[in-house]
């Protein structure tokens, strides 16, 4: 196993911190961390697996913080969690079937599309009006949890944002949606990471330092800037 250079180490730590800081509030941290790992020269499947290691470390920290805040609908997310886990495992399996020379451009195209969607999607969620699931809402969120779990295993970038939007559609406010999304995202991250490890597609030399940086980024983003970032997010998406 080759020694990681100090330049790459600093680069991954900076990228990991920035990705987790953003992801802890509005999601989309993978839009930073995945390109950073691809830039180091890792094969696409290994870059995705290594990102899952780092992202899981950051997501765990952020989820714990949300749990302490009481802004999570535990009854609902516990029911949806198995769907996210199953979907993520299936997504990773599909990634392993795709040749690297084809997977890299697919990843880049999806990253561009997710970035455009994140920038132009109109925001809402200042107040919570969720009461209970209707039959139509239940079908929607079940399908969303399964498909976004699959997407998280296949690529991952922007999964948090898509989950937040899904819960916003149910009537949760922005902070509650972010908390619910974090639990499902953590479940799919863990399932995807385990599956990537079984395929030998995780670089621990790169993933652990980036993961530690993501823990710090998640702590700073969640504890010190949640209110400010939420306001900035709504200003951006409404203008």
């Amino acid at each position: 196993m080759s020694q990681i250079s100090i330049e790459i180490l600093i680069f991954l730590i900076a990228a990991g911190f920035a990705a987790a800081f953003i992801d802890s509030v509005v999601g989309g941290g993978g839009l930073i961390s995945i390109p950073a790992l691809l830039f180091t020269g890792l094969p696409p499947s290994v870059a995705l697996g290594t990102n899952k290691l780092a992202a899981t470390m950051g997501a765990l920290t952020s989820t714990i913080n949300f749990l302490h805040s009481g802004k999570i609908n535990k009854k609902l997310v516990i029911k949806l969690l198995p769907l996210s886990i199953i979907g993520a495992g299936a997504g990773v399996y599909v990634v392993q079937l795709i040749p690297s020379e084809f997977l890299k451009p697919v990843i880049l195209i999806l990253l561009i599309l997710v970035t455009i969607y994140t920038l132009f999607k109109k925001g809402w969620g200042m107040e919570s009006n969720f009461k209970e699931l209707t039959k139509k809402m239940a079908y929607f969120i079940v399908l969303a949890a399964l498909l976004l779990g699959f997407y998280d295993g296949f690529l991952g970038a922007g999964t948090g944002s898509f989950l937040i939007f899904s819960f916003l559609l149910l009537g949760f406010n922005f902070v509650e949606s972010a908390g619910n999304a974090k639990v499902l995202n953590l479940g799919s991250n863990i399932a995807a990471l385990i599956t990537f490890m079984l395929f030998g597609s995780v670089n621990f030399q790169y993933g652990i330092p980036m993961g530690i940086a993501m823990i710090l980024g998640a702590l700073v983003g969640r504890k010190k800037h949640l209110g400010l970032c939420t306001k900035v997010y709504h200003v951006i998406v409404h203008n």
Side-chain angles (χ1 to χ4, degrees):
M1 185 176 291
S2 60
Q3 188 73 23
I4 184 172
S5 69
I6 187 66
E7 293 84 3
I8 291 295
L9 181 61
I10 293 173
F11 172 69
L12 292 177
I13 288 174
F17 183 91
F21 179 85
I22 294 171
D23 201 61
S24 64
V25 180
V26 298
L31 298 173
I32 296 174
S33 57
I34 294 175
L37 288 165
L38 288 171
F39 181 78
T40 66
L42 291 177
S45 61
V46 177
L48 292 174
T50 304
N51 180 68
K52 276 295 165 224
L53 170 60
T56 299
M57 296 169 68
L60 177 60
T61 304
S62 187
T63 301
I64 291 173
N65 287 328
F66 270 109
L67 284 169
H68 287 165
S69 72
K71 297 296 183 179
I72 293 176
N73 188 311
K74 297 178 183 178
K75 183 178 179 181
L76 176 59
V77 296
I78 287 175
K79 292 179 180 179
L80 297 174
L81 195 56
L83 297 171
S84 293
I85 292 172
I86 293 170
V92 174
Y93 179 74
V94 171
V95 165
Q96 304 301 318
L97 301 178
I98 302 176
S100 294
E101 59 272 18
F102 177 75
L103 184 58
K104 190 166 186 176
V106 169
I107 292 173
L108 294 175
I109 291 171
L110 286 174
L111 285 172
I112 292 171
L113 292 176
V114 171
T115 301
I116 293 172
Y117 179 88
T118 303
L119 289 175
F120 289 99
K121 179 67 180 177
K122 292 297 181 181
W124 61 98
M126 295 303 292
E127 297 180 1
S128 178
N129 54 31
F130 175 81
K131 294 181 180 179
E132 61 181 15
L133 285 177
T134 64
K135 191 172 183 179
K136 184 181 295 186
M137 290 164 62
Y139 284 138
F140 164 75
I141 198 63
V142 164
L143 186 61
L146 183 61
L147 292 180
L148 290 174
F150 177 88
Y151 173 76
D152 196 29
F154 184 83
L155 178 63
T159 303
S161 296
F162 293 138
L163 283 169
I164 288 173
F165 295 147
S166 297
F167 283 109
L168 286 171
L169 285 171
L170 297 185
F172 290 98
N173 65 30
F174 184 77
V175 177
E176 292 170 339
S177 296
N180 293 336
K182 276 299 166 191
V183 176
L184 297 188
N185 206 181
L186 176 62
S188 60
N189 275 340
I190 293 174
L193 174 59
I194 292 172
T195 311
F196 272 119
M197 289 173 65
L198 291 176
F199 282 104
S201 296
V202 178
N203 185 309
F204 291 92
Q205 278 189 309
Y206 287 12
I208 291 176
M210 179 177 262
I212 293 172
M214 283 191 171
I215 291 175
L216 296 175
L219 286 171
V220 173
R222 176 70 185 101
K223 290 184 176 181
K224 294 186 178 181
H225 295 282
L226 178 57
L228 175 60
C229 288
T230 302
K231 291 178 182 178
V232 171
Y233 172 80
H234 282 287
V235 169
I236 292 173
V237 298
H238 283 302
N239 289 295

